Amino acid sequence: MTREPVIRLRRVYDAPDPAADGVRVLVDRLWPRGLAKAAAGVDEWPKAVTPSSELRKWFHAGGSAREFRERYEAELAEPEAVAELARLRSLAAAGPLTLLSAVKDPASSHAAVLAELLSD
């Protein structure tokens, strides 16, 4: 019997929850503004699975959410990202995995796309 992975989405600015977070993984390309590394409680920062700078700039210039998702999934199909996704799946299988982002609503962001791919 295989255990369903527990993958949580949280804002990196929220205080760590040691009882529930498990491994805390920052999934933003840039370090969050105004947050000290010691206060963040980030265990991993795998930049290979973060949206590229070009993709972020394109989206913030008015790109659609649907096309963002397609482009992001294409980036996640690159060999380095595929290897990192496999490693993150292993971490999620071993215990809770919390994906952290500075966005205001992680459930409507690239972190949600990543969580979905990790759950497959």
Side-chain angles (χ1 to χ4, degrees):
M1 179 191 308
T2 305
R3 186 173 76 145
E4 189 71 26
V6 175
I7 300 172
R8 299 178 69 206
L9 301 175
R10 296 193 66 210
R11 290 194 77 217
V12 70
Y13 297 109
D14 296 336
D17 181 355
D21 282 350
V23 178
R24 292 171 51 88
V25 179
L26 180 63
V27 295
D28 289 342
R29 177 74 49 160
L30 304 173
W31 187 260
R33 196 174 277 177
L35 184 63
K37 289 188 180 184
V42 170
D43 299 310
E44 306 257 345
W45 189 14
K47 292 184 182 177
V49 297
T50 66
S52 67
S53 295
E54 296 79 17
L55 181 56
R56 283 185 314 97
K57 290 174 186 173
W58 170 84
F59 182 68
H60 291 295
S64 74
R66 182 187 55 76
E67 190 171 347
F68 173 86
R69 181 185 181 103
E70 290 171 3
R71 290 180 180 202
Y72 183 42
E73 287 178 349
E75 288 183 355
L76 292 172
E78 295 294 320
E80 186 179 359
V82 169
E84 193 59 46
L85 287 170
R87 195 179 72 73
L88 291 174
R89 280 188 191 99
S90 295
L91 289 173
L97 181 73
T98 300
L99 302 180
L100 304 167
S101 179
V103 299
K104 288 187 169 118
D105 182 13
S108 298
S109 73
H110 68 285
V113 174
L114 186 57
E116 187 179 316
L117 290 173
L118 290 171
S119 295
D120 289 344

